[in-house]
Amino acid sequence: LTTGGTGHHDTRIDWWALGVLLFEMLTGRPPFFGETANQVYKQVLFYSGGRSALRRIVPPNVTLDEDVIDLLAGLLQPDPDKRFTYKEICQARAIKRLNIPTVPPFVPVFSTPADTSNFPTGRADTAPFDEWLKGLDDFKDYFIGVLES
């Protein structure tokens, strides 16, 4: 998504990912798809962005509200410098209609980039998941190397 081939992304890639997720939730399919990863990469690479480009990738049996198209076009903007920011997302008509507060209810404070003090300590209760895994014993041969006995 970024130009120059550096392979580095900043937080603006998260807004792109949100656009991909919203697109799939609203249309029932991802905005870019193919039988191979290279086909998907080409679609992303040659996607020009904007409202008209977005309309071309919306399935013909799906009708999206114009406010939603504006939001998706702002999120699925190939140029990170033109992609919607958090503030622009909050100001989008589709979001304003949801009546979501624009200030998050909790803003974590970090002492360092690796600070994990905002997460609970201790081990989570994995009993429900462990019980679910036991039910997969019949399928163990299909998951060789994935499930441990």
Side-chain angles (χ1 to χ4, degrees), residues 26-123:
L26 294 168
T27 67
R29 71 165 182 82
F32 313 103
F33 60 93
E35 292 185 27
T36 67
N38 279 339
Q39 289 175 343
V40 176
Y41 296 151
K42 284 181 182 178
Q43 286 183 20
V44 172
L45 185 63
F46 293 109
Y47 177 68
S48 61
R51 294 169 54 93
S52 59
L54 182 72
R55 282 193 181 95
R56 285 192 296 273
I57 63 172
V58 172
N61 63 328
V62 175
T63 303
L64 294 178
D65 181 277
E66 288 301 311
D67 292 345
V68 172
I69 288 180
D70 286 341
L71 175 62
L72 288 171
L75 293 170
L76 292 175
Q77 171 53 249
D79 183 346
D81 292 329
K82 295 178 183 174
R83 194 171 301 143
F84 271 9
T85 63
Y86 173 76
K87 185 176 180 179
E88 290 169 316
I89 294 167
C90 292
Q91 295 300 316
R93 289 186 305 266
I95 298 297
K96 285 185 153 221
R97 289 183 0 211
L98 297 174
N99 202 20
I100 298 172
T102 57
V103 177
F106 172 73
V107 178
V109 177
F110 299 98
S111 59
T112 68
D115 181 5
T116 60
S117 63
N118 291 290
F119 294 95
T121 58
R123 182 181 158 106

Side-chain angles (χ1 to χ4, degrees), residues 14-32:
D14 295 336
W15 300 128
W16 172 273
L18 177 62
V20 169
L21 179 64
L22 284 175
F23 185 97
E24 187 162 354
M25 291 171 66
L26 294 168
T27 67
R29 71 165 182 82
F32 313 103

Side-chain angles (χ1 to χ4, degrees), residues 127-148:
F129 182 70
D130 293 341
E131 198 60 36
W132 180 79
L133 279 178
K134 286 180 188 174
L136 294 179
D137 283 343
D138 295 340
F139 302 99
K140 194 178 283 187
D141 292 339
Y142 298 103
F143 299 101
I144 295 171
V146 177
L147 296 177
E148 298 176 3

